[in-house]
Amino acid sequence: MNNNIEGKIIVITGASSGLGEAAARLLSEQGATVVLGARRIDRLNTLAAELTGKGGKVLALATDVVNRNEVKRLVDAAVQTYGRVDVIINNAGLMPQSLLESLRVDEWDRMIDVNIKGVLYGIAAALPHMVRQKSGHIINVSSVAGHKIRAGATVYAATKFAVRALSEGLREEVKPHNIRTTIISPGAVATELPASVGHPETAARIKKFYEDVAIPADSFARVAAFAISQPDDVDINEILYRPTRQEF
Ligand SMILES: NC(=O)c1ccc[n+]([C@@H]2O[C@H](COP(=O)([O-])OP(=O)(O)OC[C@H]3O[C@@H](n4cnc5c(N)ncnc54)[C@H](OP(=O)(O)O)[C@@H]3O)[C@@H](O)[C@H]2O)c1
């Protein structure tokens, strides 16, 4: 039986670690062709070799999502190589938390560039192809922080609220084109994300929080696979999930 994943061409940004890497693994195992983007091409190549060794079809391209042309190049490469793009998972992101009074303004800029503009560039790259195809699926990664705000996570939360706002507007706008849209909002998942926190005390607090509650990244992969695998007339618009032991 077709799982509605097999044969799909799926672009994933931020596929060199964490959630993106786990999604690439599971979706490839389930028969998708995965097109992987991130800056660390060595990590992508290692993952591509592993998946290809298991019979998967993989394309890996060094991609910085703050560069609109590089994101376009990634999605265009999927279409040029495989004829279409069925799904894009706009996953690349970072979380350098700190109190606003710390004035780590460069980190605010960086989060806005990667977490918001990177997602927009993914949408801009995929949308023309999907409109032409009259099919497609855009999955944007938000967070529990896209639903709840906590001191120290203000700018991160703002970027993740923005991802949900963009995704909801997108959902309404792409109805005429038969395109599905999904927001995935995870809680604490064990990845390299806490390493993006530069502020020392905040970094220590978040490291401890993740050690106490985080669950493995394949949780995200299963959620993404669930949304993608639905019949074409079913559009899973939003999934919020947490570790069972996470209160926040
Ligand atoms: N882990 C969690 O608890 C959690 C919870 C909620 C939401 N999220 C969201 O999940 C997404 C993935 O994070 P993760 O937890 O998997 O963290 P991660 O292990 O640090 O992975 C982040 C990924 O994003 C990529 N990335 C960062 N900046 C990039 C850029 N400028 N261009 C291209 N790729 C870039 C990284 O690749 P390179 O460094 O190689 O470029 C890496 O592959 C993020 O949007 C994050 O906000 C995570």
Side-chain angles (χ1 to χ4, degrees):
M1 200 182 76
N2 192 325
N3 58 8
N4 215 14
I5 292 176
E6 194 176 339
K8 281 192 169 165
I9 314 301
I10 302 181
V11 176
I12 306 173
T13 68
S16 61
S17 69
L19 308 188
E21 179 182 351
R25 246 193 209 105
L26 183 66
L27 294 168
S28 176
E29 275 165 20
Q30 297 193 349
T33 296
V34 290
V35 179
L36 310 178
R39 292 164 305 170
R40 289 171 293 177
I41 188 65
D42 50 328
R43 296 271 294 251
L44 290 184
N45 285 338
T46 303
L47 177 61
E50 177 198 317
L51 300 181
T52 307
K54 293 181 188 158
K57 281 209 255 174
V58 187
L59 188 65
L61 266 183
T63 307
D64 187 336
V65 299
V66 309
N67 183 323
R68 182 182 168 188
N69 291 331
E70 290 188 16
V71 183
K72 183 174 186 309
R73 190 182 60 182
L74 177 71
V75 176
D76 287 352
V79 175
Q80 273 152 22
T81 312
Y82 302 113
R84 63 184 197 283
V85 54
D86 295 306
V87 183
I88 182 166
I89 306 181
N90 289 308
N91 164 71
L94 72 167
M95 185 186 70
Q97 298 190 8
S98 60
L99 294 176
L100 292 172
E101 68 190 27
S102 305
L103 296 185
R104 296 175 76 95
V105 178
D106 289 346
E107 293 182 346
W108 306 350
D109 284 341
R110 190 80 193 143
M111 278 189 278
I112 288 165
D113 286 346
V114 176
N115 298 3
I116 303 180
K117 291 172 77 176
V119 169
L120 278 169
Y121 293 161
I123 293 169
L127 205 47
H129 297 296
M130 292 180 175
V131 167
R132 181 178 41 77
Q133 294 168 178
K134 296 190 172 50
S135 73
H137 190 168
I138 298 177
I139 299 178
N140 295 330
V141 180
S142 179
S143 171
V144 164
H147 294 257
K148 297 180 82 169
I149 305 161
R150 194 139 93 162
T154 306
V155 180
Y156 180 67
T159 66
K160 293 302 184 178
F161 269 74
V163 168
R164 290 184 55 232
L166 291 171
S167 304
E168 175 56 14
L170 177 72
R171 184 191 70 74
E172 292 183 27
E173 290 187 24
V174 298
K175 283 289 131 189
H177 305 297
N178 190 39
I179 296 169
R180 305 193 291 180
T181 62
T182 304
I183 305 161
I184 302 180
S185 295
V189 180
T191 67
E192 296 174 16
L193 196 68
S196 67
V197 183
H199 185 261
E201 291 101 77
T202 313
R205 182 175 52 75
I206 289 176
K207 184 167 176 282
K208 170 89 173 67
F209 175 69
Y210 271 73
E211 281 166 4
D212 289 346
V213 306
I215 50 175
D218 60 1
S219 58
F220 174 83
R222 288 193 303 276
V223 167
F226 170 77
I228 296 167
S229 66
Q230 296 306 304
D232 291 339
D233 60 354
V234 177
D235 191 8
I236 302 290
N237 298 127
E238 181 150 21
I239 297 177
L240 167 62
Y241 79 97
R242 295 174 172 82
T244 308
R245 54 185 170 256
Q246 179 178 340
E247 188 205 2
F248 169 68

